[in-house]
Amino acid sequence: MNRLSDGVEPAAKGSGLFTTTHWSVVLAAGQADAPEAGEALEKLCRAYWYPLYAYVRRRGHGHEDAQDLTQAFLLQLLERKSFARVAPGKGRFRSFLLAGLNYFLADAGDRARAQKRGGGQPALSFDAQTAEQRYRLEPVDELSPDKLFERQWALALLDEVLARLEKEFREAGKAGLFQRLRVFLVAGRGEATYAEVAAGLGLTSEAVKKAVQRMRHRYYALFREAIAQTVASPVEVEDEMRYLCAVMAR
């Protein structure tokens, strides 16, 4: 489990987090005069395809069928046919995607079309071999399809946050520092100690400790921003954060 709050105060709440969110993209995607929503929607699909794929696999579909079904569902999203009746304040983005996927899987016509598309150009290409390799590392009996989806959703968010944090360090000319400190973002943090990392960086243990505290603070803030992208209003952020942290703790 990633520890997101050790020594960290919650980031200040602000309406700026909700200027452009995943929900605003979804709502815009239902409008014919919002072409920019298509590009944004494709980015969302690329970010969250694996939790959907893992869910379909855990529902009992083989890996080829799961690839076809996931791609077909994403195509349906990219065609923006699902959003015309989506209302603001419609809950969590992950719940919307999972409900849409369940509806899609239950529809025999969509399933047949997915099988047809499997032999042609994919709607949204992803590395099927890598997807299956990842899936084979999942616990076999411990998680239901819904719980597996939630865990992979949380992991996708954390991957996004870590990538953003690394980019910030790299742009500040501190890529090496990030690589040495990132171990302290994870519970247990391996065998590393502040003193060992300090020796490698030519710093004091106290300097490393303070750098880690700043890094955790920024990590938490970015995590909160990522969560804010997936809920309908600011009042839902804290509940969603607690829920996903609990998911990761299972």
Side-chain angles (χ1 to χ4, degrees):
M1 172 189 173
N2 287 57
R3 301 179 70 176
L4 302 173
S5 56
D6 287 359
V8 177
E9 293 299 323
K13 297 180 181 179
S15 59
L17 290 177
F18 291 85
T19 302
T20 303
T21 70
H22 294 347
W23 271 124
S24 67
V25 169
V26 166
L27 293 171
Q31 302 173 9
D33 59 348
E36 70 283 356
E39 181 180 352
L41 190 60
E42 182 173 347
K43 290 180 180 178
L44 293 182
C45 290
R46 292 189 182 281
Y48 296 111
W49 66 264
Y50 180 72
L52 298 169
Y53 174 86
Y55 178 83
V56 176
R57 283 289 279 120
R58 188 55 57 92
R59 285 278 301 268
H61 294 277
H63 68 91
E64 291 182 354
D65 286 343
Q67 178 186 357
D68 291 342
L69 288 163
T70 303
Q71 288 175 336
F73 174 66
L74 293 174
L75 175 60
Q76 178 176 282
L77 290 178
L78 293 174
E79 289 175 344
R80 301 186 239 175
K81 295 178 179 178
S82 304
F83 308 128
R85 292 186 296 274
V86 175
K90 190 66 176 177
R92 289 162 171 75
F93 183 63
R94 63 177 169 83
S95 300
F96 165 79
L97 280 183
L98 189 57
L101 179 59
N102 279 324
Y103 184 83
F104 175 82
L105 293 175
D107 188 293
D110 282 336
R111 188 181 300 111
R113 284 192 293 274
Q115 292 170 351
K116 280 187 178 181
R117 291 187 186 111
Q121 183 66 27
L124 184 75
S125 62
F126 56 82
D127 189 335
Q129 182 176 359
T130 299
E132 186 58 20
Q133 289 173 344
R134 287 176 64 180
Y135 179 75
R136 290 182 183 275
L137 295 176
E138 301 290 353
V140 176
D141 299 319
E142 296 178 9
L143 297 176
S144 67
D146 296 73
K147 297 303 182 185
L148 178 59
F149 173 81
E150 289 177 345
R151 189 181 74 166
Q152 288 303 326
W153 180 271
L155 288 173
L157 280 172
L158 291 174
D159 285 346
E160 175 188 341
V161 168
L162 196 62
R164 288 182 61 190
L165 186 61
E166 182 177 12
K167 182 174 183 288
E168 289 183 1
F169 271 75
R170 186 171 62 251
E171 290 177 346
K174 298 179 179 180
L177 180 63
F178 175 83
Q179 294 302 324
R180 298 302 296 270
L181 297 185
R182 64 180 293 170
V183 66
F184 296 106
L185 293 176
V186 181
R189 69 192 191 202
E191 300 297 324
T193 66
Y194 289 147
E196 290 168 344
V197 173
L201 293 171
L203 300 172
T204 66
S205 295
E206 185 63 23
V208 170
K209 180 179 179 181
K210 289 181 179 179
V212 169
Q213 289 175 342
R214 290 193 295 270
M215 188 181 196
R216 285 177 175 168
H217 189 280
R218 184 59 183 154
Y219 185 57
Y220 180 92
L222 290 174
F223 181 65
R224 191 175 189 281
E225 288 179 16
I227 291 292
Q229 288 282 313
T230 69
V231 296
S233 68
V235 298
E236 296 178 291
V237 172
E238 299 300 334
D239 283 345
E240 182 72 347
M241 288 185 68
R242 284 191 292 268
Y243 184 80
L244 291 180
C245 285
V247 166
M248 294 298 297
R250 293 170 183 161

